[in-house]
Amino acid sequence: DGLVKKVEEVSLKEDNRDDDDETVDLATLSLMRKLTRNRILESKSNEVEVTRANPNSPLHSVKSFEELNLPEGLLKGIYEMGFSAPSKIQETVLPILLSNPPTNIIAQSQSGTGKTAAFLLSSLARVDDSLNYPQVLILSPTYELALQTGQVAEFMAKHKKTIKFKYVVRGVELHRDSQIQEHVILGTPGKVMDAALRYRCFDIRKIRVLVLDEADVMIDTQGHRNQSIRIKNALSSNCQIMFFSATYEGAVMEFAEQIVKDPVIIRLKKEEETLANLFGTLTIGQVFIFCQTKKAAAWLTDKLRKDGHSVGIITGDLTVEERTEVINRFRDGVERVLIATNLMARGIDVDQVTVVINYDLPIDITTKDIDFETYLHRIGRTGRFGKSGLAINMVDSQRTLEMIKKLEQHYGREISMLDANDLDRLE
Ligand code: ADP
């Protein structure tokens, strides 16, 4: 494909770097993922690991939504959303969350695996719509994420209109005498804490289900951890707690322990992505190109566009809406090449990518050295669903070459050298 050649041509990088590395917060990346995703991320080889504090708690998995005795309207809602069967994590999480007496859970799986749908379904199923007060409290890290989750919830409940929703987020005025009567509250920790504890807009002791969504993003924000703990401390002791996170780092689990008593812990283990499927027969589908800085990304985009390629670019300068549009255009095939900065790259999940070009290798900001995890995450995008993929790393200095050697050592795989001038081999 002409692109590879072009990229090789510009691989003699001009000295156009400076330190305009961008910063982007986890919540924004998470929102982008949600806005651009249109289907479940599943892999047959994923394994679910369950750890129970209480050996008496139920443990069985389901293969269909019918087995769960869900309210009719909710079942209709999820079918309308296009769900035919539970995802891998839902198979295990749903029966545990829906069983009685209620069980607390900590669930961790990659984003896109069906966590949001799981907690919405289980918490909505617990609403008694004959009682006009809040029973479900869903905490999200940001205003945007709360609204996004609410949209999914309202869609899911569209055939059960008796369930009412209230957003307790920035911009909503709270007073001592504004009583909330809706069944489900969606909000951010600070605002919900004000509504519950400061203005007493609802009786927090009547909450039956507390959901902590995106806990890993939550702890990233100053204050959210303490606010969540204060909310939890005000709940009645039989309130069910559902704690969800995309990652399983020490800090997240520490936070989980402070919030969730006697939990069943469920983890969907990530598929081992290896370099093994990188080389092989290759049908060029779409291409990601990663650059370290905005400036490099803009420069490369310009260069490729001038050469007549239709190229999309995504950097932190764009609004979330603009980024979403760029990703959707790319997914729809309007552009076959997407250039992203290293940080933005983490917000993108596109399945049909077969070639990943690391114009710059991913660098860990603290160690200033190769970032193994991001590297694997990136190249793991290629070759999904049995297709083969290709990753190309541009080498422009002794330092980059050393990082490639580290990659080879770390993964015990050889990365073969391609000569930029050997066009036959490149193609
Ligand atoms: P997470 O919260 O883990 O990021 P979501 O619940 O948002 O994942 O699900 C990811 C995508 O998959 C969404 O587009 C959602 O509508 C869809 N999805 C979730 N569960 C199912 C299912 N059982 N069948 C089909 N699609 C599903």
Side-chain angles (χ1 to χ4, degrees), residues 77-116:
I78 53 176
Y79 285 142
E80 212 153 294
M81 289 167 86
F83 298 10
S84 49
S87 69
K88 193 88 189 173
I89 187 107
Q90 290 164 359
E91 287 179 359
T92 310
V93 162
L94 288 172
I96 297 179
L97 286 182
L98 289 160
S99 69
N100 280 312
T103 308
N104 290 344
I105 72 153
I106 295 171
Q108 180 261 328
S109 65
Q110 229 177 315
S111 75
T113 48
K115 298 186 296 297
T116 306

Side-chain angles (χ1 to χ4, degrees), residues 6-13 299 359 394-396 420:
K6 292 301 173 214
V7 173
E8 286 295 340
E9 275 170 26
V10 296
S11 76
L12 295 165
K13 296 177 196 170
W299 174 81
Y359 186 69
M394 300 290 185
V395 176
D396 67 337

Side-chain angles (χ1 to χ4, degrees), residues 211-222:
V211 178
L212 247 122
D213 188 20
E214 310 224 27
D216 48 338
V217 180
M218 203 79 101
I219 56 171
D220 205 44
T221 313
Q222 192 82 32

Side-chain angles (χ1 to χ4, degrees), residues 3 24 30 60 85 89 115 152 169 193 217 272 298 311 334 350 353 378 385 412-413:
L3 171 85
V24 61
S30 179
H60 67 284
I89 187 107
K115 298 186 296 297
V152 181
V169 291
M193 195 179 80
V217 180
E272 282 297 321
V311 177
V334 181
V350 177
V353 171
R378 263 188 208 178
F385 306 114
R413 295 266 329 176

Side-chain angles (χ1 to χ4, degrees), residues 130-167:
S130 67
L131 304 170
N132 291 329
Y133 55 78
Q135 299 158 38
V136 173
L137 195 51
I138 299 174
L139 299 182
S140 299
T142 62
Y143 170 87
E144 290 82 7
L145 285 166
L147 295 199
Q148 170 64 23
T149 302
Q151 245 180 35
V152 181
E154 294 197 39
F155 194 104
M156 195 179 272
K158 71 189 271 199
H159 295 290
K160 197 156 165 41
K161 284 267 186 259
T162 43
I163 300 184
K164 304 287 182 209
F165 298 88
K166 171 79 181 176
Y167 295 86

Side-chain angles (χ1 to χ4, degrees), residues 218-387:
M218 203 79 101
I219 56 171
D220 205 44
T221 313
Q222 192 82 32
H224 277 177
R225 179 198 283 251
N226 285 340
Q227 288 157 350
S228 304
I229 291 171
R230 286 185 59 188
I231 291 169
K232 180 250 153 190
N233 286 342
L235 297 166
S236 84
S237 61
N238 55 14
C239 174
Q240 181 178 26
I241 300 181
M242 310 179 180
F243 184 103
F244 285 83
S245 171
T247 64
Y248 197 79
E249 307 131 26
V252 179
M253 294 322 286
E254 227 174 76
F255 179 42
E257 275 169 30
Q258 288 177 288
I259 299 261
V260 199
K261 207 175 122 224
D262 300 332
V264 173
I265 303 173
I266 299 148
R267 295 187 61 191
L268 183 69
K269 293 208 256 165
K270 214 162 151 183
E271 183 186 6
E272 282 297 321
E273 310 259 28
T274 66
L275 298 190
N277 62 353
L278 280 183
F279 295 91
T281 46
L282 180 78
T283 37
I284 293 210
Q286 287 181 293
V287 184
F288 269 147
I289 304 178
F290 296 118
C291 298
Q292 184 65 24
T293 63
K294 286 191 276 194
K295 206 164 168 183
W299 174 81
L300 188 58
T301 306
D302 192 49
K303 195 112 179 152
L304 289 175
R305 283 185 181 155
K306 279 195 182 130
D307 280 329
H309 296 286
S310 96
V311 177
I313 174 169
I314 188 156
T315 69
D317 287 343
L318 305 181
T319 63
V320 171
E321 290 74 27
E322 288 167 335
R323 292 176 211 168
T324 303
E325 198 190 319
V326 173
I327 295 174
N328 285 338
R329 281 168 61 89
F330 179 66
R331 206 200 349 249
D332 294 343
V334 181
E335 275 113 20
R336 287 181 55 211
V337 180
L338 184 62
I339 298 184
T341 48
N342 285 338
L343 274 166
M344 291 325 298
R346 292 163 54 213
I348 312 171
D349 278 323
V350 177
D351 295 328
Q352 66 262 38
V353 171
T354 45
V355 180
V356 167
I357 296 174
N358 288 313
Y359 186 69
D360 294 299
L361 286 168
I363 307 290
D364 184 309
I365 300 173
T366 38
T367 64
K368 304 261 185 262
D369 205 340
I370 181 82
D371 178 348
F372 293 113
E373 202 181 318
T374 305
Y375 180 81
L376 197 58
H377 181 65
R378 263 188 208 178
I379 64 165
R381 291 169 195 292
T382 68
R384 287 204 180 176
F385 306 114
K387 285 182 285 180

